[in-house]
């Protein structure tokens, strides 16, 4: 046996995946320490010291945990985010951190557009009232001719922009480092964050977290009244209380989120709001995205481990 590799993403840890067979073929033992759920810190402290590789999900990986995992050579995420990993500690201990760049981009982009369409037509509310025995028709809004604001124009944001343009929308994008080579056909342009918030009928987040939320009380004072907000990126990008207040005073027409600071989330007043739509972190949870991400994560594990003594 070459070593043990822990596999914890919920999409893999219960039913496995055929791509994992490449790890076994290379002589590694696969460990599923917490089938179907994220591991806790205490569980990580128990299983990681025995591992050389870690195919990780979105769970936090702290310095404390990495300090005990002295045989660990590589953490390979089946997604793109690394904000849950203590990267300084990983670098200090010589642990490589790899991501499956772009593997889930299409799935997340499609979910963002799905949430936009469902929100503007008030589908979740009307579904719930009809199932409760009430015939209640709520007027919706069409997206054609409206402005879509995309904050973060990487692989996911670009796909969302193209999908929006395909629906007849104008697209305004903000990125910390805008790429002038991205110029899709249609009414598309890069702009400032302030101008985007002031113009957009729909604002969708596709950027990494920063020191403070992108959508906070101050940002919401500049938002176009009646805008719809979508977050399929990171929960830290949004100040929940500021969004709740913006829904209450009509600044926002609705909010949809696929991401939470804790999974499952603690019940909050915001989450119970009738104009809030939630999905349980399913952006990259499609058959196609799981396939791409798993294969990329496995290839990264084998590449890094094969380069080590």
């Amino acid at each position: 046996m070459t070593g043990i590799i822990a596999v914890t993403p919920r999409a893999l840890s219960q039913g496995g995946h055929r791509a994992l067979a490449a790890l076994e073929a290379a002589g590694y033992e696969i460990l599923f320490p917490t089938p179907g759920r994220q591991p806790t810190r205490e569980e990580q402290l128990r299983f990681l010291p025995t591992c050389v590789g870690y195919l990780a999900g979105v769970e936090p990986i702290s310095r404390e945990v990495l300090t005990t995992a002295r045989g660990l050579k590589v953490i390979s995420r089946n997604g793109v985010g690394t904000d849950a990993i203590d990267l300084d500690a990983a670098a200090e201990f010589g642990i490589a951190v790899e991501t499956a760049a772009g593997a889930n981009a299409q799935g997340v982009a499609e979910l963002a557009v799905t949430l936009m369409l469902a929100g503007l037509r008030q589908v979740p509310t009307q579904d719930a009232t009809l199932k409760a025995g009430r015939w209640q028709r709520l007027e919706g809004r069409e997206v054609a001719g409206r402005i879509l604001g995309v904050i973060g124009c990487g692989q996911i944001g670009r796909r969302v922009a193209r999908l929006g343009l395909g629906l007849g929308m104008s697209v305004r994008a903000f990125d910390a480092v805008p790429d002038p080579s991205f110029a899709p056909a249609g009414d598309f342009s890069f702009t400032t964050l302030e101008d985007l918030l002031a113009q957009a009928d729909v604002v969708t987040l596709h950027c990494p977290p920063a020191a403070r939320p992108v959508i906070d009380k101050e940002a919401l004072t500049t938002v176009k009244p009646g805008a719809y907000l979508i977050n399929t990126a990171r929960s830290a990008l949004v100040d929940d209380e500021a969004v709740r207040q913006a829904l209450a005073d009509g600044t926002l027409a609705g909010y949809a989120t696929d991401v939470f600071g804790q999974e499952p989330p603690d019940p909050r007043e915001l989450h119970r709001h009738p104009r809030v739509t939630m999905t349980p972190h399913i952006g990259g949870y499609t058959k196609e995205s799981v396939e791409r991400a798993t294969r990329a994560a496995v290839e990264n594990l084998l590449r890094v481990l094969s380069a080590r003594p």
Side-chain angles (χ1 to χ4, degrees):
M1 185 183 73
T2 306
I4 298 173
I5 294 176
V7 177
T8 60
R10 290 162 294 182
L12 308 177
S13 62
Q14 201 160 23
H17 191 280
R18 58 188 177 183
L20 300 177
L23 299 175
E24 294 176 313
Y28 295 97
E29 178 185 347
I30 300 176
L31 173 68
F32 300 104
T34 55
R37 62 176 177 83
Q38 291 181 21
T40 64
R41 178 183 63 87
E42 291 74 17
E43 288 167 332
Q44 290 173 318
L45 290 170
R46 287 198 295 270
F47 70 77
L48 270 186
T50 68
C51 297
V52 296
Y54 188 2
L55 202 169
V58 297
E59 63 270 13
I61 305 175
S62 66
R63 172 177 286 272
E64 178 190 9
V65 166
L66 294 179
T67 299
T68 67
R70 304 320 292 262
L72 189 64
K73 305 300 181 186
V74 56
I75 300 167
S76 182
R77 279 235 44 235
N78 69 332
V80 297
T82 59
D83 47 291
I85 304 171
D86 190 322
L87 297 178
D88 290 337
E92 180 181 332
F93 302 141
I95 302 169
V97 176
E98 301 288 331
T99 63
N104 65 0
Q106 186 65 25
V108 176
E110 289 184 8
L111 178 64
V113 173
T114 298
L115 292 172
M116 173 182 71
L117 294 171
L120 292 179
R121 294 304 301 268
Q122 303 192 64
V123 171
T125 300
Q126 295 183 92
D127 172 72
T129 56
L130 197 54
K131 287 177 178 175
R134 300 193 306 276
W135 183 267
Q136 181 184 20
R137 299 171 70 226
L138 301 175
E139 186 178 64
R141 290 187 285 170
E142 297 176 1
V143 298
R146 296 190 181 274
I147 297 176
L148 173 63
V150 179
I151 300 178
C153 209
Q155 294 203 48
I156 297 172
R158 294 182 183 201
R159 284 171 168 80
V160 172
R162 291 192 180 99
L163 289 169
L165 291 167
L167 289 168
M169 304 183 80
S170 299
V171 178
R172 301 294 176 261
F174 168 77
D175 196 278
V177 185
D179 180 0
S181 69
F182 180 66
D187 185 7
F188 172 88
S189 63
F190 284 102
T191 187
T192 65
L193 179 59
E194 293 74 18
D195 285 347
L196 182 152
L197 293 174
Q199 295 181 52
D201 298 289
V202 179
V203 176
T204 180
L205 300 168
H206 303 288
C207 54
R212 54 178 285 186
V214 174
I215 304 299
D216 57 11
K217 186 175 182 179
E218 180 181 351
L220 287 166
T221 63
T222 66
V223 163
K224 183 177 181 178
Y228 196 86
L229 177 64
I230 301 164
N231 185 11
T232 57
R234 290 290 183 272
S235 63
L237 292 170
V238 171
D239 181 329
D240 282 359
E241 178 56 24
V243 168
R244 187 194 66 79
Q245 293 178 4
L247 288 167
D249 64 24
T251 300
L252 289 177
Y255 174 51
T257 184
D258 185 48
V259 288
F260 307 91
Q262 174 183 318
E263 297 182 358
D266 288 330
R268 296 185 180 183
E269 187 175 356
L270 173 65
H271 298 157
R272 293 190 290 267
H273 195 284
R275 284 183 282 118
V276 171
T277 300
M278 300 186 294
T279 49
H281 205 152
I282 59 169
Y285 193 38
T286 66
K287 181 178 181 180
E288 296 83 358
S289 288
V290 170
E291 181 76 21
R292 290 188 296 265
T294 305
R295 292 194 178 280
V298 167
E299 289 168 5
N300 287 336
L301 283 168
L302 293 173
R303 174 176 50 79
V304 174
L305 290 171
S306 66
R308 302 282 183 127

